[in-house]
Amino acid sequence: MPSMPFLSKDNDNDVVDTSLPQRLSILQSRKCRTQSIDETLVTQAPSQAETNVLTKSAPFHKFVLTGGPCGGKTTALARLSSYLRERGFEVITVPEAFTILASNGFEMSYFSVEGMPSCVQNTVMDVQMSLEDSFERILRAKGKPGVLLCDRGLCDGSAYMSTEEWDQFLLKRGITLAEIREGRYNAVFHLVTAAEGAEEYYTLENNDVRTETPEQARALDIKTRGAWVGHPKLIVIDNQTDFEGKLNKLVSIASELVGLPSTSKQVTEKYLLKEIPHVHEFPRDLQYHLFQVEKVYLYDTETSKAASTDYAEEYSFIRKRTHMSQNGQALGTTYGLTTVHTTHSGKKIEVKRIITQREYNAAYKTRDVNRHVVRQQRISFIWNMQSFNVHIYMEPAHVENLCIVHVQQPQKLANLAKESKEQDNMVDNGNDLADMPSFLKVDRKLGSDKQDDTLYSAFSISLLSHGKNC
């Protein structure tokens, strides 16, 4: 079985060095290192495993696989873990906490005791957090590129509670939704139940714990999907292909997220909006989340010198993402570090890392003073199996109120209009059709050409000279 580094080829015949994520992760680790960590490494002289855990220098990714009953989670976990191991990643799978409980003596009759649902939810979250944290520590201690695959995640519990019960549940535990959603997982893959679009394959024979009818499965799938709305990498994989195609989508998208070559059809399209959408115009049953985002681009002398020969461009930015209530109250803040590597052929590879506030503050000291700090308001929601993120610029001043929506499309939607006559408005993408709700007033699709990139990408907008040249 090969181990990193090694070379492979993607569909464009570009040779991709899959050791790149390792190098970028080491670079990120240096940006986030604080004096206290360095002093600990020098004075305490811990073991190699402890050093690996402390420095977090090896690439690490934590993915959730979730969805409604009979969505293919079990098979998907096996396929994805095998695929990543064959390409040099250390992979550990975290089992579903409730299944552990249910398969070891817990019976549904326990719920007849008053207060038992809350007790069960607390127990499931305790077990899930303990398993995830312990397995993550082992993976990081190995000191090699690792992926933690979670059979469901902490937010799944909200699908079995009312909004008010869930809010109280988190409040009693002293945690925020942001902490256990984007602050804990790099990406969330929602595998839609077979009861939605592949009804003939819906079965519960391979899971003794589940008892849902197809109607109940569809309702639970919607609730589970809603539990993760607001995560910046929520990827919904539906049943518009056969099951093998569903698995291939998962593997391909996950490959791209860990820095491997990918044939993913999951693309993020960007559209310029004519005006800022107003949430009071959203359908009453549409679940959405509000955020305030701060992006700070960093300066790195090493990447600046190397870019001309080794690659076309490489840059890093840190992000502070605050979950906001509808009345403007901060509900929780998470922090991240992203490094973007662009090859000479134009291919982009991103390596993302969840960081702490202390690491954010340490990296902030190396911010590029030739760039503005970019501040945005964001609105996240799901519309017809597509993930929408509306970016409303607040700063810099010369792009205030600029509004761009990012739409994650799982595949070409050219036949969507034929299948549903109830769509509000369809935006032509050339060969594709993006399904747009009526409360988003689209001006046009943004292309990948240099002109649109210069005018509308956050990286270009951050330049102090951007307002003068546009």
Side-chain angles (χ1 to χ4, degrees), residues 328-353:
Q329 179 184 359
L331 300 177
T333 300
T334 57
Y335 304 87
L337 168 61
T338 300
T339 300
V340 181
H341 174 104
T342 306
T343 67
H344 287 293
S345 63
K347 183 174 293 296
K348 287 192 175 184
I349 299 173
E350 290 189 1
V351 174
K352 295 179 179 289
R353 175 191 291 249

Side-chain angles (χ1 to χ4, degrees), residues 299-403:
Y299 180 75
D300 191 309
T301 54
E302 292 184 22
T303 56
S304 298
K305 292 178 181 177
S308 60
T309 56
D310 297 341
Y311 41 83
E313 186 175 58
E314 186 173 284
Y315 60 88
S316 298
F317 63 86
I318 50 176
R319 186 192 66 231
K320 175 180 172 182
R321 193 172 190 260
T322 302
H323 188 195
M324 306 296 294
S325 68
Q326 293 186 28
N327 60 9
Q329 179 184 359
L331 300 177
T333 300
T334 57
Y335 304 87
L337 168 61
T338 300
T339 300
V340 181
H341 174 104
T342 306
T343 67
H344 287 293
S345 63
K347 183 174 293 296
K348 287 192 175 184
I349 299 173
E350 290 189 1
V351 174
K352 295 179 179 289
R353 175 191 291 249
I354 298 170
I355 62 176
T356 65
Q357 182 179 4
R358 186 175 67 168
E359 291 172 324
Y360 180 88
N361 293 336
Y364 194 99
K365 296 176 182 177
T366 64
R367 82 176 188 89
D368 188 344
V369 296
N370 293 311
R371 294 180 178 273
H372 295 283
V373 173
V374 176
R375 293 185 172 87
Q376 302 169 333
Q377 293 180 334
R378 292 189 185 178
I379 310 172
S380 297
F381 60 90
I382 288 180
W383 181 266
N384 288 349
M385 303 292 184
Q386 298 174 104
S387 181
F388 284 73
N389 281 281
V390 181
H391 296 202
I392 306 166
Y393 282 82
M394 302 163 61
E395 296 179 19
H398 70 276
V399 292
E400 185 179 7
N401 294 331
L402 173 66
C403 196

Side-chain angles (χ1 to χ4, degrees), residues 267-286:
V267 294
T268 300
E269 301 286 6
K270 300 178 183 179
Y271 300 88
L272 181 65
L273 299 184
K274 296 178 181 178
E275 59 186 45
I276 296 174
H278 301 288
V279 294
H280 66 267
E281 296 178 354
F282 288 12
R284 294 186 62 181
D285 60 347
L286 180 67

Side-chain angles (χ1 to χ4, degrees), residues 130-377:
S130 180
L131 287 172
E132 289 180 13
D133 293 346
S134 300
F135 289 8
E136 177 178 341
R137 184 165 56 250
I138 291 172
L139 268 181
R140 288 193 183 277
K142 188 73 180 291
K144 294 190 176 178
V147 179
L148 192 65
L149 299 178
C150 303
D151 188 344
R152 301 201 180 278
L154 298 185
C155 291
D156 278 287
S158 67
Y160 302 89
M161 307 169 74
S162 69
T163 301
E164 294 74 19
E165 290 172 336
W166 178 246
D167 290 342
Q168 284 299 311
F169 176 76
L170 296 181
L171 184 63
K172 287 182 179 179
R173 292 188 65 102
I175 55 179
T176 67
L177 180 57
E179 287 178 61
I180 64 171
R181 190 179 53 204
E182 61 266 33
R184 193 169 179 90
Y185 307 101
N186 298 97
V188 179
F189 295 92
H190 179 99
L191 305 180
V192 175
T193 174
E196 183 71 57
E199 290 82 355
E200 64 272 27
Y201 298 106
Y202 182 74
T203 178
L204 298 177
E205 292 180 0
N206 60 345
N207 192 331
D208 295 335
V209 178
R210 312 233 59 131
T211 59
E212 294 86 355
T213 65
E215 293 76 15
Q216 291 171 330
R218 285 190 286 270
L220 186 55
D221 192 274
I222 292 172
K223 290 181 179 179
T224 305
R225 212 180 308 152
W228 294 98
V229 169
H231 194 290
K233 279 294 179 183
L234 170 57
I235 298 157
V236 179
I237 303 180
D238 59 23
N239 298 303
Q240 292 191 34
T241 65
D242 59 17
F243 187 60
E244 185 64 24
K246 192 175 186 179
L247 294 179
N248 288 337
K249 285 182 186 178
L250 167 69
V251 169
S252 190
I253 297 167
S255 295
E256 187 174 27
L257 291 176
V258 301
L260 290 174
S262 170
T263 58
S264 171
K265 294 181 181 179
Q266 179 86 17
V267 294
T268 300
E269 301 286 6
K270 300 178 183 179
Y271 300 88
L272 181 65
L273 299 184
K274 296 178 181 178
E275 59 186 45
I276 296 174
H278 301 288
V279 294
H280 66 267
E281 296 178 354
F282 288 12
R284 294 186 62 181
D285 60 347
L286 180 67
Q287 186 174 359
Y288 63 89
H289 288 277
L290 307 175
F291 301 89
Q292 287 188 357
V293 174
E294 176 182 271
K295 293 179 74 171
V296 181
Y297 290 88
L298 308 179
Y299 180 75
D300 191 309
T301 54
E302 292 184 22
T303 56
S304 298
K305 292 178 181 177
S308 60
T309 56
D310 297 341
Y311 41 83
E313 186 175 58
E314 186 173 284
Y315 60 88
S316 298
F317 63 86
I318 50 176
R319 186 192 66 231
K320 175 180 172 182
R321 193 172 190 260
T322 302
H323 188 195
M324 306 296 294
S325 68
Q326 293 186 28
N327 60 9
Q329 179 184 359
L331 300 177
T333 300
T334 57
Y335 304 87
L337 168 61
T338 300
T339 300
V340 181
H341 174 104
T342 306
T343 67
H344 287 293
S345 63
K347 183 174 293 296
K348 287 192 175 184
I349 299 173
E350 290 189 1
V351 174
K352 295 179 179 289
R353 175 191 291 249
I354 298 170
I355 62 176
T356 65
Q357 182 179 4
R358 186 175 67 168
E359 291 172 324
Y360 180 88
N361 293 336
Y364 194 99
K365 296 176 182 177
T366 64
R367 82 176 188 89
D368 188 344
V369 296
N370 293 311
R371 294 180 178 273
H372 295 283
V373 173
V374 176
R375 293 185 172 87
Q376 302 169 333
Q377 293 180 334

